[in-house]
Amino acid sequence: MDQARQWLRDARRIAVLTGAGVSAESGIPTFRGDGGLWRQFRAEDPATAEAFSANPKLVWEWYNWRRGLIAAANPNPAHLALVTLEQRVPAFTLITQNVDGLHSRAGSTNIVYLHGDIWTVRCLACGVSRKEERPQLPELPPQCQCGGLLRPGVVWFGEGLHQDRWRAAEQATRDADVFLIVGTSAVVMPAGGLAALAKRGGAKLIEVNADATWISDTADCSLRGPAGSVLPHLIED
Ligand code: OAD
């Protein structure tokens, strides 16, 4: 912990990758492992274009349920610690796989939303994207003004990432002196490959996770514990 804290103090450029574990203590279940989110689904089932075209109402019910959970949640000490860290270093990029928006609500500013934003919708017919912040959409599946079907503004399995966002994530990772990876199983690519990219670029790799992951052994420092307890200590001056 002391060594990792020192690396963070000395760093000029920090990139952070977060996953569902950072929001777990806000009451939002993670995807995989004990208590995983997906109720009766496997992680990938409702989050595909195929599932959506087969049954848009069912997929939307699942997103409505998640929107309700997220709307009732608040940022936790892990989100807040990352806000403090951003304020301390000249260059800071927060790359997140989370679509819950809790990093923004906490006050982080330079955020790359790799997997999109659950609070936006996009029309399959006219392509327009817009914010939709009512937690529970009254009519499922929702329709665009043009009559087309609206889908959640998130990235599904089998879909490419938004190119500009991915480029920004890669660049920040390559440039980083320290790469901090928090609360992610890192099994979903390409996000899960960023830690290796950071190491190739010479960054110190610090992992914070409740459990060991496949990247724990390659990390320069792997801190085991809940992010809401570990991160505030890690960023102490
Ligand atoms: P996962 O559910 O795969 O992993 C969550 C990680 O957080 C696990 O390694 C847990 O051990 C850890 N964890 C749980 N509680 C924690 C806590 N309080 N503090 C620290 N760590 C904790 O979630 P992601 O890695 O985010 O993608 O999953 C990646 C992607 O898979 C998601 O963005 C989503 C999903 O399917 C799409 O929907 C495209």
Side-chain angles (χ1 to χ4, degrees):
M1 173 70 93
D2 286 344
Q3 177 65 80
R5 207 183 272 136
Q6 191 60 46
W7 288 333
L8 285 171
R9 273 194 213 113
D10 294 344
R12 306 286 299 160
R13 310 183 78 86
I14 296 177
V16 183
L17 174 68
T18 63
V22 85
S23 293
E25 289 153 87
S26 294
I28 302 173
T30 58
F31 296 99
R32 298 172 183 82
D34 291 344
L37 171 65
W38 307 82
R39 296 198 296 177
Q40 70 269 39
F41 300 106
R42 282 195 326 119
E44 292 79 2
D45 287 344
T48 62
E50 291 74 24
F52 190 70
S53 63
N55 194 341
K57 185 159 185 279
L58 182 67
V59 171
W60 262 114
E61 277 166 0
W62 185 72
Y63 277 94
N64 240 10
W65 173 71
R66 286 181 64 197
R67 289 162 72 99
L69 274 180
I70 293 167
N74 288 306
N76 69 57
H79 298 104
L80 298 174
L82 293 174
V83 178
T84 306
L85 191 59
E86 177 168 21
Q87 289 161 352
R88 243 172 47 185
V89 277
F92 179 94
T93 305
L94 176 48
I95 305 157
T96 187
Q97 299 164 88
N98 298 346
V99 297
D100 57 31
L102 287 182
H103 286 304
S104 300
R105 276 174 57 198
S108 292
T109 55
N110 193 27
I111 308 173
V112 179
Y113 281 101
L114 269 191
H115 291 169
D117 172 9
I118 202 166
W119 301 111
T120 65
V121 291
R122 190 170 80 241
C123 178
L124 288 180
C126 71
V128 160
S129 273
R130 65 170 171 81
K131 280 275 180 194
E132 173 49 88
E133 292 181 306
R134 285 175 296 174
Q136 299 298 300
L137 297 178
E139 275 180 41
L140 299 181
Q143 287 196 339
C144 180
Q145 282 178 338
C146 80
L149 192 57
L150 290 170
R151 62 164 279 177
V154 301
V155 177
W156 282 330
F157 284 91
E159 296 180 329
L161 301 184
H162 196 290
Q163 281 210 355
D164 292 348
R165 290 182 205 164
W166 177 244
R167 259 187 234 115
E170 273 190 320
Q171 193 62 53
T173 301
R174 277 202 197 94
D175 292 347
D177 307 323
V178 173
F179 190 83
L180 176 61
I181 180 164
V182 186
T184 175
S185 59
V187 296
V188 172
M189 295 297 157
L194 287 172
L197 180 65
K199 281 221 77 168
R200 284 201 297 278
K204 292 291 183 198
L205 176 59
I206 304 171
E207 178 185 55
V208 175
N209 199 300
D211 300 300
T213 72
W214 70 275
I215 63 158
S216 300
D217 287 344
T218 64
D220 295 291
C221 171
S222 184
L223 299 167
R224 213 59 54 75
S229 308
V230 176
L231 278 186
H233 285 302
L234 185 59
I235 61 134
E236 273 168 14
D237 274 327

